[in-house]
Amino acid sequence: MFMLNYMWIIVALPILGAAINGLFGKHFSKAAVNSVAIGSVALAFAAVCELVREFWYLPASQIPWVKSYYTWMVAGEYTAQPFHINFALQVDQLTVIMLLTVSFVGLLIHIYSIGYMDHEGGYYRFFSYLNLFMFFMLTLVMGANLAVMFVGWEGVGLCSYLLIGFWFRKKSAADAGKKAFITTRIGDLAFTVGILLAFWTFGSLTYSTMFQKASQMTPETMAHAGVLTWIAILLFIGAIGKSAQLPLYVWLPDAMEGPTPVSALIHAATMVTAGVYMVARMNPVYSRAPIAMFLVAVVGGITAFYAATIALTQTDIKKVLAYSTISQLGYMFLGCGVGAYAAGIFHLMTHAFFKGLLFLTAGSVIHAMGGEQDMTKMGGLRKKIPITYWTMLIATLAIAGIPGFAGFFSKDEILEAAKSGPQAIWWLWFIGVAAAGLTSFYMFRLIFLTFFGKPRFDEHQVHVHESPWKMTIPLIVLAFLSTFGGWLAAPKLAGGINYFAQFLDPVFSRYAVTPVTAEAPAAAGISPAMQVLSALVGIPVILAVIGLVVAWWFYIKNPNAPKQLAQKLHGLYILLLNKYYVDELYLGAIVRPLLWISTKVLWQFVDATVIDGAVNGTATVARETGGAVREMQGGNTRSFASWVIIGAVGFTMLLLVFIGLAVR
């Protein structure tokens, strides 16, 4: 029970590593920086493993296990509803999944970063930021109340800003960091209001208290939006910003200006999934707010398809993966929105494996190409960097939903719930399936452009080489997880149990509106073999295979076809290439008007004319009055005498007037 009682050790280790490297790392060797940064995360992962071992033997009555360490905030003690927040951590089945995913994937990316950042400046600063991110992400998932979650929520946003703009001397990187920070702040404003409304409604921000009171409230309907709906929507707006969904997704593609390990850790595997985790954690509220649930599903489904269409035409290897991340996050929200919370978290976990791997292999490609990121300037790399090629191919098979790989199981769960679950929305299933086909096409397009065909670069100028073992070992480990990470759900294909969903079932059934079960009923009259066959040749799989074949035909069999198609569909091609001109729309409709208002109205008129004018005018009056009075004190004796006489005469006259009035 040691680690269950001292859970704070898990979050303390990364912040200690961040502090040591941040304060003293400038004077350390790279080996010392590595020892502190990776050692702290490795110890945190070891602590997580011990925590999970101890958690496994807890009786169901003690789950969730909550440990409060001290009183953090107290206000209004003598009021009817005092504000009382403890720094408290908790662990339940959902926390276990998130802790294992964050700490293990984070450790692998830290190890990868040793090789990738070896020749970069600010080495100690980079690892200090990575450790700081780990601290905030672990705090977010372990918090036992919304206030502690909020600390982690804002903290990962700060770290995102620091790491995106790590190369701050590069204007595009600095601008991307600011863009991410400002865009996510829009969502965080609504998130903050949602937290305040939750406290006003429940009188507490502690999960157990909130969920208990929410379970006693009458579930709302699509015809009536009550306070639960507004809490859920406000919190979801925060998730839209943090998890890059429509319309606040625009920061994530620009975030690729940061180092590739940052893209893998923060913008694929962990931070951007914070919104999905929040919706799943707040499931007792969302399950009683069907309007909010519908909004989550619609935003997720549309974002999945929308981002996939943009990825079709991008040529920057990291930008393709960025829009793919936005699309896959949409799938997770779609799953949560149709009530399949376990499926959403399942895809969160498998996505951390294969998308983290995709970004790391992209970094390996960029490393091999001397910094080149344009896929049209690559080609023929599969024999030169075989480890990178095979691991990236495995990740591509996983994200495309090819049977047997991790992404197939989790994506299939979400689409099945959208089609035939208790809160199914058939047209969102159609959108999700279409997005699945597009995903397969643009990912195999990436594979074929990068690794196949003739080299489209000067082989005398670019010395292509495989990455060092510090970078390839994490690739191999993630490739293994991308292959087998979804097999806990495999028995369900034959009418059995989805063990992943069964493990999470207590989290989502404890306060459920209606009883739920992780065990799918067997289809009447259908044998297990036929059920497996049906899953393996279902519509999503068929479309994934079609996407693969079409990509092969376009980029291997007939490489001139993409240009010809782009010419025929020139308008659509330009629209997708320019990402629907959303950035330009925001620039013209929001950014420039705000700049004009701040410059012409607030600065030049209000500040310079009104405020400065009032201050300067007062100073001018005082100066001129002082100048006039100063003339009276010119040092001239004759002038002094004149003023004395005038003063004496004036005083005498006033005295006579007062005497006359007194006599009367």
Side-chain angles (χ1 to χ4, degrees), residues 406-429:
F408 162 74
F409 296 100
S410 56
K411 189 180 292 186
D412 185 72
E413 284 284 308
I414 291 172
L415 293 175
E416 181 63 28
K419 181 178 71 171
S420 57
Q423 301 180 52
I425 306 174
W426 69 269
W427 60 272
L428 284 179
W429 171 83

Side-chain angles (χ1 to χ4, degrees), residues 596-610 612:
W596 185 88
I597 291 172
S598 62
T599 302
K600 300 296 184 180
V601 179
L602 298 179
W603 171 29
Q604 295 181 359
F605 176 71
V606 176
D607 190 22
T609 303
V610 178
D612 289 352

Side-chain angles (χ1 to χ4, degrees), residues 349-391:
M349 183 188 75
T350 60
H351 178 264
F353 301 151
F354 60 69
K355 184 53 67 64
L357 176 57
L358 283 169
F359 269 110
L360 294 187
T361 49
S364 184
V365 170
I366 295 168
H367 176 82
M369 291 293 297
E372 181 60 64
Q373 295 184 199
D374 190 339
M375 296 184 298
T376 62
K377 298 178 182 178
M378 298 180 185
L381 298 180
R382 71 182 185 281
K383 294 182 180 179
K384 298 179 182 294
I385 47 175
I387 297 176
T388 300
Y389 164 66
W390 284 108
T391 51

